[in-house]
């Protein structure tokens, strides 16, 4: 299978480059900068990512270009472009001020293959503190901006290009066009990587891998585990048994609603209501990390007890997706994130591990779900923390506090689903690229607030009391905070700018309808410095 290799030099947007390449129906792999797969015959091109370093620093990540130069087409992005210029004999120097934000291209060589289909003065997004001040011999400029002389360059007689902006972000209007020019026109991608082809190929591989073995899958109600279950069901049918554990910390009615959805999909599901066990073990515990450990250990206990009842089980399936497995590099060059097995269950239970979604990004998981006919509300479900509402109750956990938060959260999430907004321009492109089904009309799309944002939820400040007045009486009850963020991968996130009339209506409804709440706040913190969840 054809593939593009993206060499990661530590940029926060490396995964976004991968997603844009996948959107071109082309398979790609993200590899650490020093682990190029030299013996892979399927590689058709190489992209070099950005980096937090300067190329002239001693600690900067360097690349042995003998592995790729003259063998594959190369596209360098930001640091990648500067690294090539510097390594091949050009100059890279610090700028007086950091170049950050929008800029517009002026073309020096409009007919260059990398600029095919570009709009006049195309807007791009800059984010760098250094700039190329001299190109190496054998290279020439193809585009500039008002402040960056070598915004894009090309080799005279080689298939090498560099851009000192970020084509992978939505602010770069022709960014996808540039990547298409490279991946499809230059590298020759057949564009045969698609949800349908993935399902067909993966089902075939799963049948070969699993044979007639029995498989167990822990369901969470989330997108990843649900899509993994449907995919495995296509491959092995009744040999798949799914276990869905209610820890008492799910959203309102979620246990019964999700079980009904799964049964409608034809899955063999065992539902286990262990809520009282979790409430008992969490009683009096306020420290966030301790809550997480209790919930994690409790899940393993319940899951293992149910799994032992399934005779002949050989495999444990997980909804692990590609970002979970990509090695990320911190500024020391040490691996800080690698392939994970939740809870160590495979080793503990003596089962082999099966991960049918291990090559997919989140938006691709959703597209695969749609291609298999899964209901939209399962596919578009926001990420939800593994410990559930326990990390959205600040303080100890009681059934009454869970009831209060479930009621407030239910009003909030349903209101997000019901409130429609019209989007255009960059915002519409971002939402459509994430796979949200919407029809463009007169340059606009209509979507719900829920579909426009990455993640939302309510938080109960159960250790805080707030004075209020209801009717003629004074109240002394808990505040609820509402959280909603926009993001592409959860590595960074901005608070969602929800309409004031929406927030006013939701606040009024929660205070009026949820017993125990007399104040509603909205969290306007971004990540960083805050995190998406409060605990």
């Amino acid at each position: 299978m054809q593939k593009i290799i993206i060499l990661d030099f530590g940029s926060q947007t490396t995964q976004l480059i991968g997603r844009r390449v996948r959107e071109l129906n082309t398979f790609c792999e993200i590899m650490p900068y020093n682990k190029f797969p030299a013996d892979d015959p399927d590689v058709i091109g190489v992209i070099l990512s950005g980096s937090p370093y300067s190329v002239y620093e001693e600690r900067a990540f360097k690349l042995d270009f003998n592995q790729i130069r003259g063998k594959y087409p190369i596209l360098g992005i930001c640091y990648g472009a500067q690294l090539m210029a510097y390594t091949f004999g050009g100059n890279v120097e610090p700028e007086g001020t950091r170049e950050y934000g929008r800029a517009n291209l002026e073309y020096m060589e409009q007919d260059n293959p990398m600029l095919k289909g570009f709009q006049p003065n195309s807007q791009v997004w800059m984010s760098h503190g250094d700039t190329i001040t001299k190109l190496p011999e054998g290279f020439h400029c193809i585009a500039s901006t008002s402040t960056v002389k070598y915004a894009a360059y090309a080799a005279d007689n080689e298939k090498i290009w560099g851009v000192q902006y970020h084509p992978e972000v939505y602010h770069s209007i022709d960014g996808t066009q540039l990547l298409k020019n490279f991946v499809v026109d230059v590298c020759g991608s057949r564009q045969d990587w698609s949800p349908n082809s993935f399902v067909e190929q993966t089902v075939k591989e799963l049948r070969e891998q699993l044979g007639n073995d029995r498989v167990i899958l822990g369901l969470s109600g989330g997108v990843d585990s649900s899509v993994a279950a449907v995919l495995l069901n296509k491959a092995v049918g009744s040999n798949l048994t799914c276990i869905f554990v209610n820890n008492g910390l799910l959203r309102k009615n979620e246990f019964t609603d999700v079980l009904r959805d799964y049964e409608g999909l034809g899955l063999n599901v065992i539902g286990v209501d262990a809520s009282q066990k979790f409430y008992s073990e969490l009683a009096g515990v306020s420290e966030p990390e301790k809550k997480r450990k209790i919930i994690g250990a409790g899940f393993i206990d319940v899951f293992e007890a149910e799994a032992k009842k399934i005779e002949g089980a050989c495999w444990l399936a997980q909804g692990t997706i590609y970002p979970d497995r990509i090695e990320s590099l911190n500024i020391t060059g040490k691996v800080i994130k690698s392939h994970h097995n939740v809870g160590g269950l495979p080793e503990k239970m003596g089962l082999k591990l099966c991960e049918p979604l291990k090559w997919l990004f989140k938006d691709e998981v959703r597209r695969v779900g749609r291609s298999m006919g899964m209901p939209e509300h399962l596919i578009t479900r926001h990420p939800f923390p593994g410990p559930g509402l326990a990390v959205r109750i600040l303080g100890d956990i009681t059934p009454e506090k869970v009831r209060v938060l479930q009621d407030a959260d239910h009003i909030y999430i349903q209101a997000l689903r019901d409130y429609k907004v019209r989007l255009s321009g960059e915002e519409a492109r971002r939402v459509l690229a994430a796979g949200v089904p919407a029809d463009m009309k007169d340059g606009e799309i209509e979507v719900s607030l829920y579909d426009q944002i990455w993640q939302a939820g309510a938080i109960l400040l159960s250790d805080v009391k707030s004075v209020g007045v209801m009717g003629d009486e004074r109240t002394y009850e808990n505040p609820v905070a509402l959280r909603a963020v926009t993001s592409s991968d959860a590595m960074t996130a901005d608070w969602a700018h929800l309409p004031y009339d929406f927030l006013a209506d939701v606040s009024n409804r929660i205070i009026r309808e949820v017993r125990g709440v007399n104040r509603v706040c909205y969290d306007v913190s971004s990540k960083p410095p805050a995190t998406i969840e409060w605990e």
Side-chain angles (χ1 to χ4, degrees):
M1 176 172 54
Q2 290 182 319
K3 67 177 70 171
I4 298 289
I5 295 297
I6 300 168
L7 292 181
D8 182 14
F9 291 86
S11 170
Q12 286 193 339
T13 60
T14 301
Q15 288 192 30
L16 194 53
I17 300 172
R19 289 174 58 204
R20 296 290 171 263
V21 173
R22 295 280 185 89
E23 287 166 10
L24 295 169
N25 295 327
T26 302
F27 184 66
C28 67
E29 284 189 54
I30 296 173
M31 309 288 292
Y33 70 97
N34 57 354
K35 293 187 178 179
F36 180 77
D39 57 350
D40 192 334
D42 296 324
V43 177
I44 59 173
V46 180
I47 296 176
L48 312 181
S49 84
S51 174
Y53 288 136
S54 296
V55 296
Y56 46 78
E57 291 182 279
E58 185 176 342
R59 60 180 178 170
F61 300 139
K62 301 296 172 60
L63 173 67
D64 178 6
F65 278 95
N66 291 326
Q67 294 180 301
I68 60 175
R69 189 174 184 180
K71 300 175 183 177
Y72 311 97
I74 306 171
L75 171 63
I77 294 174
C78 202
Y79 177 92
Q82 294 173 358
L83 180 63
M84 288 194 295
Y86 184 78
T87 304
F88 300 159
N91 292 338
V92 177
E93 299 176 14
E95 292 188 284
T97 58
R98 182 176 174 85
E99 185 74 25
Y100 185 82
R102 294 173 174 83
N104 295 93
L105 294 179
E106 178 184 349
Y107 308 115
M108 310 292 113
E109 190 179 303
Q110 180 86 53
D111 61 347
N112 189 279
M114 206 53 55
L115 301 178
K116 187 184 78 172
F118 271 45
Q119 302 174 27
N121 304 117
S122 184
Q123 176 185 290
V124 296
W125 185 262
M126 295 287 185
S127 180
H128 54 91
D130 299 324
T131 192
I132 300 169
T133 55
K134 175 188 173 184
L135 287 175
E137 185 177 347
F139 290 79
H140 62 279
C141 178
I142 60 174
S144 301
T145 72
S146 60
T147 56
V148 179
K149 182 176 181 180
Y150 303 115
Y153 68 80
D156 296 343
N157 300 303
E158 299 178 79
K159 293 183 177 180
I160 299 178
W161 291 265
V163 294
Q164 287 195 96
Y165 63 89
H166 288 274
E168 69 273 21
V169 303
Y170 293 99
H171 308 296
S172 292
I173 301 302
D174 289 312
T176 298
Q177 181 64 44
L178 180 132
L179 291 172
K180 180 177 184 291
N181 290 342
F182 179 73
V183 171
V184 179
D185 295 348
V186 173
C187 298
S189 169
R190 293 188 294 267
Q191 295 187 280
D192 52 7
W193 170 264
S194 68
N196 288 338
S197 67
F198 173 82
V199 171
E200 181 181 349
Q201 180 65 27
T202 303
V203 167
K204 178 183 176 183
E205 291 173 356
L206 286 171
R207 286 172 178 163
E208 293 172 355
Q209 178 187 20
L210 304 173
N212 292 319
D213 292 347
R214 299 291 299 273
V215 184
I216 306 170
L217 171 66
L219 289 169
S220 67
V223 180
D224 301 336
S225 68
S226 300
V227 172
V230 174
L231 197 55
L232 280 160
N233 191 49
K234 280 182 170 288
V236 300
S238 60
N239 279 350
L240 171 68
T241 301
C242 302
I243 300 173
F244 182 36
V245 178
N246 179 15
N247 59 11
L249 301 162
L250 303 174
R251 282 178 156 146
K252 186 173 183 177
N253 303 324
E254 187 170 19
F255 186 56
T256 54
D257 289 348
V258 170
L259 277 178
R260 184 173 59 249
D261 284 334
Y262 286 150
E263 289 167 3
L265 291 169
L267 300 178
N268 177 25
V269 183
I270 298 172
V272 184
D273 187 353
S275 53
Q276 293 308 313
K277 166 186 168 64
F278 284 89
Y279 290 155
S280 174
E281 294 177 354
L282 288 166
V285 178
S286 298
E287 204 276 315
E289 190 59 28
K290 190 172 181 181
K291 286 193 283 189
R292 288 177 180 272
K293 288 180 178 178
I294 289 171
I295 294 166
F299 171 79
I300 290 175
D301 291 343
V302 174
F303 188 91
E304 189 176 13
E306 290 299 321
K308 285 180 178 177
K309 300 174 185 177
I310 303 169
E311 294 184 6
C314 304
W315 296 86
L316 176 68
Q318 291 184 169
T320 310
I321 63 174
Y322 194 38
D324 298 327
R325 302 170 55 244
I326 296 173
E327 292 181 325
S328 299
L329 301 175
N330 68 9
I331 59 173
T332 66
K334 296 178 181 178
V335 175
I336 59 173
K337 180 181 179 184
S338 59
H339 180 28
H340 72 290
N341 295 326
V342 177
L345 274 171
E347 296 87 351
K348 184 179 178 70
M349 298 174 62
L351 299 174
K352 293 176 282 188
L353 190 63
C354 176
E355 298 172 308
L357 305 181
K358 64 184 179 181
W359 290 112
L360 299 185
F361 290 100
K362 176 72 78 173
D363 48 348
E364 292 177 311
V365 174
R366 292 191 168 108
R367 291 189 179 97
V368 166
R370 288 190 182 98
S371 76
M372 296 189 295
M374 292 176 62
E376 194 64 25
H377 67 271
L378 270 181
I379 295 169
T380 58
R381 186 178 188 266
H382 286 175
F384 189 63
L389 297 180
V391 295
R392 294 181 180 176
I393 297 174
L394 273 60
D396 65 334
I397 309 298
T398 68
E400 174 61 13
K401 291 179 181 179
V402 172
R403 191 274 309 166
V404 171
L405 184 54
Q406 283 179 333
D407 288 348
D409 182 80
H410 181 72
I411 290 170
Y412 179 38
I413 296 300
Q414 192 55 51
L416 287 169
R417 291 186 183 278
D418 292 341
Y419 194 102
K420 305 298 182 184
V421 292
R422 298 194 69 82
L423 305 175
S424 61
E426 292 178 16
E427 191 66 13
R429 288 197 301 274
R430 179 184 68 80
V431 171
L432 290 172
V436 175
D439 294 325
M440 182 77 75
K441 185 176 181 181
D442 298 327
E444 292 186 329
I445 60 172
E446 183 179 79
V447 296
S448 70
L449 281 177
Y450 186 89
D451 287 335
Q452 187 185 0
I453 61 183
W454 172 269
Q455 187 171 343
I459 299 96
L460 178 66
L461 283 64
S462 71
D463 284 347
V464 177
K465 292 291 185 181
S466 169
V467 175
V469 177
M470 293 187 183
D472 295 324
E473 296 185 359
R474 218 172 131 87
T475 62
Y476 198 51
E477 296 176 329
N478 296 117
V480 161
L482 305 180
R483 182 76 159 137
V485 298
T486 58
S487 181
S488 61
D489 52 20
M491 294 177 65
T492 61
D494 191 16
W495 62 277
H497 295 227
L498 301 180
Y500 287 155
D501 63 328
F502 169 83
L503 290 171
D505 179 64
V506 169
S507 174
N508 289 336
R509 286 189 57 196
I510 290 174
I511 293 171
R512 186 173 66 245
E513 299 176 27
V514 181
R515 192 166 32 87
V517 176
N518 67 355
R519 190 177 298 269
V520 173
C521 311
Y522 186 58
D523 183 348
V524 294
S525 308
S526 295
K527 176 187 178 182
T531 55
I532 294 177
E533 297 294 341
W534 278 39
E535 287 192 347

